[in-house]
Every structure is written in C-alpha cells, then in structure tokens.
Amino acid sequence: MDEPQNPATALPVEMPIPGADEIVLNMGPQHPSTHGVLRVKLKLDGERIEASECIIGYLHRGVEKIAEHRSYQQFAPYVDRMDYVAAVSNGLGYCEAVEKLLGAEAPPRAKVVRTILTELQRIASHLLWLGTHALDIGALTPVFYCLREREEVLKIFEKYCGARLTTHAFRIGGLQYETYDGFEHDVKRFCDDFEKKVEEYEQLLTGNRIWVGRTKGIGILTGEQAIALGVTGPPLRASGVKWDIRKAMPYAAYDQYQFDIPSGQNGDTYDRYLVRMEEMRQSRRICLQAIENIPTGPIMAKVGKVLKPPPGEVYHAIEAPKGEIGYYVVSDGTVQPYRVRVRPPSFINLQAFDTMARGHLVADVVAIIGTLDIVLGEVDR
Amino acid sequence: MLQEAYFILSNYIWQIVDGLVIVAIFPLLAGYVVLLERKVMADMQARLGPMRVGPHGLLQPLADAVKLMIKEDIIPESADRAIFWLAPVLSVFAGMLSFAAIPVGPGFLIADMNIGLLFIFAVSSMGIFGIVLGGWASNSHYSLMGALRSSAQLVSYEVAVGMAMVSGLLLAGTLSMKDIVGYQAHSGFWLVFVAPVGFVIYLVGSVAETNRAPFDLPEAESELVAGYMTEYSGFRWALYFLAEYSNMVVVGSVATTLFLGGWLRPFAGTPAFHFLDYAPPLVMLGVTGYCVYRIPKQTGWDQKFIMAIFTGICFVITVPLAAALPHPVAGWQAGVHGAFWFIAKVMAYVYVFLWARFTFPRYRFDQLMQLGWHYLIPLSIVNVMGVATAIVLHREAGWNPVVSIGVTLVVTVLAALWLVRAGERREQATLKSAA
Amino acid sequence: MKRFKAKFGEAVREAWLDRKQAILVVDAAKLRSICQFAREQEKFDMLTDLTAVDWPKREKRFEIVLNLYSFPKNERLRIKTHAADGEMVPSVITVWPAAGWLERECFDMFGIRFEGHAGLKRILLPDEWQGHPLRKDHDILQQDEAWVHENLGIESGQ
C-alpha cells in the first residue's frame, strides 16, 4: 500500500451475489462505537475488510448556509455546535478569522486568556478521546477517570462563561468577560493535579500487552499518505510529520510559550495514542506558563457594535484538538458574511479511513475510528 | 404401581428438593452477583454504583428482574422462531444442570457421580449450542459473527482447559468431585500448590470459556453491538445473562474443587490452625454488625426497614455457623462451614474475573486464537507431561515429592518462557512485514 | 507567484496579495496542470481545502477556491478558478487525493461537476435529494419536500 487509496475511486461497496464468501456489514449509523451517526459499510471476507465506504451526513445542519443569513457576531455561537467537544477551539478560529478580515487584533490580555482556555479545551477533548478510544478497545475503566478530569476543565469553563459544552467563550475582537476571581488558582490547581493523572492513564494502558497488541501496526498511515490525504493534527504528527500550526504559523499568544511538538514514527494507532498523551502534557505546560503572567489591560479591541468588514476574503486556520480547523470567510462589505466555509478536520481525516482500514479485521475498525478522533457534528456540519 | 413410583421417588426426594432450591434461588443469587459486579466496577472506577433501589442498591437485582420480565419481547421477523425461542433456554439449562455435580460442602451435593468432573465439563460445553443457535436464529450479521466467534473460542480453549484439568486429575486419581476434595484433605495440600501452572491455564481458559472480558469477543459491545444477544430483549436476554453468570459460578466451583481444596478450611489438617473455625461466624457477625450500624444512617423508614431485613438475613446465616463451633467435623456442622469456605473461594475466583474485566482492554479475535493455540495449548501439554513425570518420579523412582514437583515445575516454567519468547519473535516479524 | 505567471502566462489571469495571502486566479482549463506544477515544482504538497463561492450575478457564477499549503516553505497559496452553471471543472483528485470528498461536497452543495472524478455523488445530503443548498438562489428554508415526505413520512420539518 504505497499509494494512498484514492477515496473517490475506491470500490463501491455493493451487495455481493448470495453464496459468495463475502458479506456486507453495515456499521452504524446506530452502533455503540461509531461515535455518533457515522455509517460504515464494510465488505468482509470472514472478518477481514476488503473495502469500506463511509456514509455521512446524518447530522448535517447546514451551518455554512446559516452563516450567510446571520451577522458576523450572530454566527459565532453556531461554530460551537460543530465540534461540540472542542467548542472553545472552534470559536477561537472563527473569531480570529473575522478579526483578520477586519484588520483588528485582540489585546494581549485577551490573547493570553484565549490561549489558556483553548489549551484546556485541548486537554478536555483529548481526555474524551482517550476515554472513548479505550472503551472501544474494551478497557472499561479509563473513561471514568478521563471524564473525572474533563469535569474539572468544564467547571473552569462554566465559571468563566456560564456554559460547559458550547461555550461561546470568545467574541470577535477579544473577550466579553473578564476572568473571574481565582481563575489562575483554578487552572494552576488543575494543572498540578493533572500531571499525576496522565501518569495514571499511562500506567493503565501504555505498557499493557493487550493494548499494545490491539494498537501497534493497526491503521498505518505513512507521512506521504497523510499529506496527500490532507490529514492534519495528531494523526499527521504520529506519521512522522512534525507540523503544528501553533508553531508553524503562531496565532493567539502561542509564540510566547515554550512547548514541544510530539511526533511518532510508524503512524499506527499506538503512535497516535502516544502523540495525544504527550500533547496533553504539553498543553498543561503551556497553561502553566501562561497563567504565570497574564498581562493586564483591556480585553476587547475597538471593533464597533456593527461589524462591516471591508470586501475581501480570508482563510485562517488554527490547530484544533482534531487537526487544522480553517475558516474561509468572504465579505462583500455588508453586515452578513457572504460565505463562510469551514475546513473541518474530522471530515478530512475521516477520508483516510478507507486507506487505514483495508486488510484489517472488524475489531480494528472501531480502533481506527477511535484513533481518528472524529466528531460527527463537525464531519456533517 | 403407584407405590413403586412413590418408593422410587422417595429415594430421590432430597435430590429433587435440592434441584428445585437451586433453580429457585440461583437466579436471585446471579442477580446479586451482578450487583456485586457493578459495585466492584464502581469502586474501581471512582463511582458509587447502584444506590437508588434500596439501601446501597440492595434491591437492584429484584428491580432488574422485574424490569426484564415485563419488557416487550421482540422476535425479529426474519428469525427462526422455534430456535430463537429454544436457544437461551438451552444455555440456561446447561448452566444449571452443572450445579448437580458441584459439592458445596460435605454432604451438600445433589448427585455424587463417579464421573462428576467429566459431567460438568460435558454439560457446560453444551451451553455453547444455545449461543450458536441463538446467533444463527437471529438472522443478523452481528449475531452470526458473535456465534461463530463463540464456537471457535470454545473449541480452542476447551482443549487447554481440559488439559489443565487432567493435570489435577492425575494427582487426585479420581473424577468424583467429592473424592477430589477428599484427596486434598487427605494429602494435606491443595492441588494449586502442586500444579500451579495447571491452575493458571485453567484460570485463563475459564475466562475465555465463559466469554468474559478480556475474552468477551462473542458479545464485544464496541464491535458486534452485543454479539449473539443483539436481537434478544427482555426475558430471553435475561436468560442468556443468567446462563453467563451461572457458567461463571460453575467454572469457579470447578476451580475451587479441583485446585483450591473445595470446601476445606485453609490448613484443614493442622490442629494449630483450628482457631480458623471461628472465622466464618465472626465474619458474618461483623457483616451483621456493619448492617446494624448502617440502619440509622438510611433515610426514610422504608430504607431502614429493608436494611433491617438484610441485617436479619446476615444474622440468620451467622447462627448455624456459630452453633457448629467449636470444631465442626461431621454432619450439618461441617456442611455449613464447608459451604462458607466454598462460597468464599468461589467468590474470590469470580472477583478475579471482575478485576480482569475492568482492567484489561479486549483482545482481538486473531490474538485470542493465537493465545489459545500458540501459548496455552502447548503449555498445557507440557504441564500434563510435567505432572505425570513428577508422579512417576515420586511413585516409581522414589524421589522426594517436593523435589520431583519442583524439578518438573522448573521445566514447565522454562517451557512457558520459551513459548513467550518465540511468540514475541513472531510478533516482531509480523510487525516488520506489515511495515 | 511570478514563477506561475512565467510558466503559464495567460492562464494565470490575476495574482494579488490580500491581507498577506497569496491568491491566484487561473483558467479552469489549465487548472490541473497548474495544480500539478504547484505540487511538484512549488512544493505545495497539501490541499488544505477545496470549496466554492456562488456569485449569481457574474458571468461565470461559481468561484472554485483551492487552499494549498506547503510544508517545506510553510506558506499558503490560494488558487481560484471560475465556472458557469453546468460547466465541467477539471478534478484535482489525481494531484491531491484529498480532493475526493471535498469535490463531492462541492458537487453536493453547489452542483459543480468535476471532470475526472470517478465517484462524484452527494456526500452530506441523501443521494436522491434535489437542489444544491449553498447556491445563493436556494432559500434557507427551502428543502426537497418530496424527498422528506417520501422517506421520512412527514410534511416539511420547517
């Protein structure tokens, strides 16, 4: 498998002739481990996958169409509903894209607070991934530990902006809310505890023979394949491409902090697991650095109540927990965006599923879906 | 004619009563094993588990049973109705029938067969028919795959488990469950100390045979939805559930009888340890005391009342245990004490099952097969030969039993290590060829 | 950018920088060879995004937008091309396999047909759905009521 499976020319999965050795198995849209309403059609020879086809769209809500009928500010909460386990990151991408369109820039204090919240969100998103991924592979316990820690992050969000899941934490131009009293303390306490907790997860899984057996060599994606298929985020890094938008094209306040980009070599499920675990540690590191020194000053740039960006277009991408989330916003000079295009990382990463799943067993399908870390709200928008 | 029938029946009256008691009580006990499992799981996962129905969820099993019984019974349109109906019954039947040959305590035994162990082995394997038929009759891909996995798994692990049993049988020299325990009482040590490798193989194999995690592939919920049970609901589903838990207790009982000294108290033959006879009533008294302590903490008179009932049950169990003191040797005194130790051992064995379930991820099917055929079966054969050699060395060549067992054990462990190394090399090779 | 102009001359219609973003507008006919050049010579090895914008008043109403990224150069490039309704646009799936689903989505949402895309069918909407919702003349409340009625057994959900 040198060349990546061309997703468009991949064999269509059709019902075989009765009596043939192959069966077609429909996984989803209601299945315990397709993480929502993904439907995968598998052509099986025994338990081995010969071809696969993802059928998506069960959660399509027409977010991009809605954007054209809302003002710039009104659309901001909608982006939270795409990747609903990493709403803060989505919001950051959108706000920064519109700011870029306006030529405005958020004040330094807002940037740092944004960085902290986004990194906390990354930890929360990865924790949910870890829990469900482990659950898919049959480890029942880590999910509860992960949710316990995620709860702490959500509590911080709740205290900050009143919402836990679809936060709408940022505004175009900065922040609406000043941090609450004790924000630094809460984040610091979480970060201090979190170090030990990651150790705990690693003890449960990293060296576990069954875990290693289930993840090593599964769903291999080489660096070239990953790039050709547009895969971004942890799956790309696990394939050995050390690329992270936070370093390559820094946004918010990432240029001020020290952190490493973890990467893998084999591009298999185990490497993706290790990369995400390390990313959580690095996020914690960023949070700790940022919390030390939050600049004082205003939290909102002067952007005015009615946003009328000059005509033009902008593409702005940030490193969301799932990969590169990009917003391509076209303005025609009115209060409503002419077009908002979201580049959804889950959607494009899911495209690699067929390449990764061929030749593996049914049990590996759930491991591969889990390791891609998709959120169907974002795939279908 | 009638008198004759009465005469025959009167001979078996106790067996019939025992059988009825088991059929009546076991489902309830299985419900409490489920509660126990959920509580253990909750404890390992930093939660509380069922707390709503009754104090500490003590009535949860009853609520579950009622719920399952009054649930809608769905039979898929394309299912084979007769087999769909029969399959879960067959599973439960096989699970329950095995109880006939299990000696819970001295005298607490329904059928003392001279082939007891073989009987259990044969009957419990029958349960697989229920799974295969149920999976096939559902007419669903998931069910079919679950059923196929289950049968393949059973065939593979039955060999290893059988071999592990043989290593115990060689030492005990009998198939009668009662005599196996008798041998252990007579020789003064449990077979687990003589054939530890056999015990480990049996432990792993029995997890696989009962389809428990990490070998629960036939019902792997993240892959096959619920495997062979996918299309089942309500009471039929409950029957499968019951079969699974009765199988768990059966393999626990076999392991206890064969390797862990059955109903024997630890150090049963040593007079210095007779004080251990005080442990059962004291433990139960402690549980009773704890229940009493919890009564005032319950909210509402109904919760207090239920707690009081459970206190009463604990106390009722304490009384015969205490009455059997100071040293129960025969009759019902030995029976109740034996039953206490037996159940305690079975529960410890089942606890290992639960512990493994909440700690390990699930194996993949090919890995499961590999573990069975590449590791357990060769190792079990080596183990049987080792045990046989030890017996020959002891009985024919007149070696010291400890030395002969020690020598063969070292050889067996070395063989196990060699197998693991070979397996690792094989894995490396496949990984390399994949990359 | 200059290199693109030098290589393809007239095919590159416009090139400018907007808010520090390099944008090229190219001829649809030459799209594939320009993309090939961008990938192989200019090292824009990843197709980040492929989408379209509908400008109903223009002569060629659809603007197809490709966002490229180069790992070695750490640069982004936007290539645009125009197509009228019903006009075929060359598919770039042979250049970047990532275009597979993105072009399907474009077809789904705008009804732009890509030439050389073997599996061009709807992706987010059901296969038999009528209408392309991201076109400007498609009202936000409009939907394929016949499909909804037939498959979901309900009257319009709006």
Side-chain angles (χ1 to χ4, degrees), chain A residues 15 23-28 30-33 44 46-48 134-145 148 204-205 208-218 220 268 360-364 366, chain B residues 37 41 43-47 140-142 144-146 148-149 213-217 220-226 355-367 375 420 423-424 427-428 431 434-435:
Chain A
M15 281 308 272
I23 57 171
V24 169
L25 187 70
N26 242 316
M27 262 180 140
Q30 290 182 13
H31 184 277
S33 51
L44 301 175
E47 286 210 20
R48 204 161 283 281
L135 196 62
D136 286 348
I137 292 185
L140 298 174
T141 305
V143 67
F144 291 97
Y145 295 165
R148 183 182 64 193
L204 267 172
L205 297 172
N208 189 320
R209 283 185 72 94
I210 306 178
W211 178 261
V212 175
R214 283 297 304 274
T215 52
K216 241 194 172 121
I218 302 301
I220 294 178
D268 56 8
H360 286 307
L361 302 175
V362 177
D364 297 327
V366 294
Chain B
E37 173 170 18
M41 165 158 66
D43 186 45
M44 286 182 185
Q45 297 174 343
R47 319 181 273 130
S140 142
H141 284 161
Y142 289 117
L144 183 67
M145 280 167 90
L148 290 177
R149 281 180 174 192
F215 304 113
D216 58 344
L217 289 125
E221 79 278 345
S222 61
E223 299 150 26
L224 298 186
V225 188
W355 189 9
R357 178 173 173 199
F358 305 126
T359 310
F360 294 127
R362 185 179 299 115
Y363 268 105
R364 204 172 56 211
F365 196 64
D366 58 327
Q367 292 165 340
Y375 299 94
V420 171
E424 270 169 5
E427 264 169 43
Q428 293 295 331
L431 266 184

Side-chain angles (χ1 to χ4, degrees), chain A residues 1-299:
Chain A
M1 284 215 299
D2 289 321
E3 278 295 302
Q5 263 305 326
N6 193 328
T9 53
L11 282 171
V13 178
E14 274 157 19
M15 281 308 272
I17 320 134
D21 286 342
E22 291 145 352
I23 57 171
V24 169
L25 187 70
N26 242 316
M27 262 180 140
Q30 290 182 13
H31 184 277
S33 51
T34 50
H35 293 213
V37 285
L38 172 67
R39 175 171 160 211
V40 187
K41 255 174 152 184
L42 300 169
K43 190 173 175 191
L44 301 175
D45 174 15
E47 286 210 20
R48 204 161 283 281
I49 296 154
E50 294 202 320
S52 73
E53 189 186 350
C54 292
I55 299 166
I56 56 175
Y58 290 92
L59 207 59
H60 181 60
R61 291 152 295 173
V63 167
E64 291 173 12
K65 186 77 180 172
I66 293 171
E68 295 169 12
H69 294 258
R70 296 285 180 276
S71 73
Y72 285 93
Q73 292 103 325
Q74 277 176 337
F75 181 60
Y78 283 93
V79 298
D80 290 355
R81 272 85 182 158
M82 291 188 310
D83 182 357
Y84 41 76
V85 300
V88 173
S89 310
N90 290 10
L92 177 69
Y94 177 70
C95 291
E96 290 204 355
V98 179
E99 280 161 19
K100 210 165 162 185
L101 195 62
L102 285 163
E105 199 175 349
R109 180 175 173 80
K111 279 188 172 179
V112 172
V113 174
R114 280 177 174 188
T115 310
I116 295 168
L117 289 177
T118 315
E119 285 311 304
L120 287 177
Q121 180 73 83
R122 188 186 312 280
I123 292 176
S125 169
H126 281 358
L127 281 174
L128 192 70
W129 156 80
L130 176 64
T132 50
H133 186 41
L135 196 62
D136 286 348
I137 292 185
L140 298 174
T141 305
V143 67
F144 291 97
Y145 295 165
C146 291
L147 289 180
R148 183 182 64 193
E149 261 58 79
R150 181 170 174 262
E151 194 64 26
E152 296 302 315
V153 177
L154 296 188
K155 271 182 197 158
I156 294 175
F157 290 160
E158 191 178 7
K159 272 178 161 177
Y160 172 70
C161 60
R164 290 155 52 85
L165 204 63
T166 47
T167 48
H168 192 206
F170 309 136
R171 299 293 185 272
I172 296 160
L175 309 168
Q176 174 151 25
Y177 310 110
E178 192 43 90
T179 54
Y180 62 90
D181 288 342
F183 174 74
E184 291 92 338
H185 173 75
D186 278 0
V187 175
K188 186 149 174 42
R189 206 188 53 193
F190 169 75
C191 290
D192 288 345
D193 292 348
F194 190 61
E195 175 90 88
K196 284 197 293 288
K197 300 291 163 64
V198 181
E199 287 295 322
E200 205 176 302
Y201 311 143
E202 291 236 24
Q203 273 174 13
L204 267 172
L205 297 172
T206 306
N208 189 320
R209 283 185 72 94
I210 306 178
W211 178 261
V212 175
R214 283 297 304 274
T215 52
K216 241 194 172 121
I218 302 301
I220 294 178
L221 204 60
T222 63
E224 292 83 56
Q225 283 176 336
I227 291 173
L229 287 166
V231 171
T232 48
L236 178 67
R237 289 192 277 279
S239 301
V241 183
K242 217 170 176 163
W243 181 75
D244 190 317
I245 305 179
R246 288 177 293 174
K247 280 266 194 221
M249 298 175 161
Y251 55 94
Y254 284 104
D255 46 355
Q256 303 169 20
Y257 306 119
Q258 305 277 319
F259 60 98
D260 301 326
I261 306 171
S263 69
Q265 282 127 33
N266 306 323
D268 56 8
T269 303
Y270 188 65
D271 277 7
R272 284 186 280 273
Y273 158 76
L274 289 180
V275 162
R276 287 201 178 97
M277 295 306 268
E278 187 56 32
E279 266 183 25
M280 285 200 267
R281 292 211 175 89
Q282 296 299 334
S283 294
R284 172 186 167 273
R285 215 174 125 194
I286 297 172
C287 282
L288 278 178
Q289 289 174 48
I291 214 77
E292 282 300 309
N293 192 6
I294 305 181
T296 49
I299 51 167

